[in-house]
Amino acid sequence: EAQVTQNPRYLITVTGKKLTVTCSQNMNHEYMSWYRQDPGLGLRQIYYSMNVEVTDKGDVPEGYKVSRKEKRNFPLILESPSPNQTSLYFCASSTMAGAKNQPQHFGDGTRLSIL
Amino acid sequence: KQEVTQIPAALSVPEGENLVLNCSFTDSAIYNLQWFRQDPGKGLTSLLLIQSSQREQTSGRLNASLDKSSGRSTLYIAASQPGDSATYLCAVFVSGTYKYIFGTGTRLKVLA
């Protein structure tokens, strides 16, 4: 079954404790992306990757890191989490055909609470 | 800077009505526009994707149109059903940057 898998689904942690949210897709997609969703602000893109070893900032990259060492995986790293990073996070992937990418497939989300 | 707006923010209609959701964007330099559905506590499901060279796409009771020059897209839902109740989001894929910009969504409730 084609899917985007995020782990963990829920996490409560404390300020400053490094954490990683994993994202894996089994569709051989080139494009992968991380979003955060906050009430009243909608979905905002954090980072995206066009392919292995190619990443770029979205609209809200501050406080986050990513890596793309393998095509299927795109982890989101919070080196020193702060309470303002409490949010619902989504990973998504899609295939690229030149500039005309195909529909994004989304994971089920990770609800992150930082105390 | 690209901005995406969805109006109305919330909508409540009786079952069976045809309805239109609106999405507007400020910069016509886009590769495509995509409509999604989000159920409470769930991820997003892609409904329709319209490439910048296309005018509309249809899937079942859904029809999405795109007018790039005026910066507008509409999602038409025919014969609405209670199962259509969800939040509907549009997103543009920005030319040159490969970024996605989302609207804040329209929360739809279809009453039985």
Side-chain angles (χ1 to χ4, degrees):
Chain A
E1 181 191 348
Q3 58 186 2
V4 177
T5 304
Q6 296 179 227
N7 280 297
R9 293 290 315 280
Y10 304 92
L11 179 63
I12 301 174
T13 188
V14 296
T15 299
K17 186 177 180 182
K18 180 179 178 180
L19 67 92
T20 299
V21 185
T22 63
C23 174
S24 180
Q25 50 93 4
N26 63 359
M27 296 165 280
N28 201 37
H29 285 167
E30 295 85 4
Y31 189 95
M32 296 187 74
S33 183
W34 277 103
Y35 300 90
R36 59 178 291 173
Q37 186 174 35
D38 301 289
L41 297 175
L43 265 87
R44 293 176 293 167
Q45 194 170 35
I46 303 170
Y47 270 96
Y48 63 95
S49 170
M50 299 285 286
N51 214 323
V52 176
E53 302 291 0
V54 181
T55 63
D56 209 344
K57 297 176 181 178
D59 277 349
V60 288
E62 296 78 18
Y64 304 94
K65 285 176 58 177
V66 293
S67 68
R68 188 91 182 271
K69 293 185 172 60
E70 305 165 281
K71 199 171 187 180
R72 64 183 294 124
N73 296 323
F74 191 45
L76 179 70
I77 303 157
L78 285 72
E79 294 269 2
S80 182
S82 62
N84 64 12
Q85 293 176 299
T86 292
S87 187
L88 178 59
Y89 290 85
F90 287 103
C91 179
S93 73
S94 63
T95 192
M96 295 287 293
K100 294 185 178 182
N101 72 322
Q102 298 305 307
Q104 289 191 94
H105 297 255
F106 276 75
D108 288 336
T110 294
R111 189 164 291 281
L112 186 58
S113 295
I114 299 166
L115 307 177
Chain B
K1 182 185 174 186
Q2 178 75 264
E3 293 182 3
V4 180
T5 304
Q6 291 185 248
I7 294 173
L11 184 62
S12 188
V13 300
E15 182 177 7
E17 275 206 6
N18 301 325
L19 54 98
V20 175
L21 306 182
N22 296 296
C23 172
S24 61
F25 48 96
T26 55
D27 189 340
S28 62
I30 62 171
Y31 290 124
N32 59 55
L33 183 144
Q34 196 167 359
W35 282 94
F36 295 88
R37 169 188 173 132
Q38 185 177 25
D39 293 287
K42 302 283 188 182
L44 279 71
T45 301
S46 178
L47 297 173
L48 291 164
L49 181 149
I50 313 175
Q51 301 290 356
S52 61
S53 58
Q54 298 175 324
R55 297 285 292 184
E56 65 178 325
Q57 284 285 332
T58 298
S59 176
R61 295 183 294 110
L62 304 179
N63 175 276
S65 67
L66 174 64
D67 184 343
K68 247 183 41 165
S69 61
S70 67
R72 294 178 63 184
S73 176
T74 59
L75 179 66
Y76 175 82
I77 303 176
S80 58
Q81 304 169 356
D84 294 330
S85 298
T87 297
Y88 291 81
L89 297 135
C90 67
V92 297
F93 192 45
V94 180
S95 294
T97 67
Y98 299 99
K99 289 183 183 179
Y100 275 98
I101 306 293
F102 276 79
T104 51
T106 294
R107 192 169 63 253
L108 173 66
K109 188 167 187 179
V110 181
L111 305 169

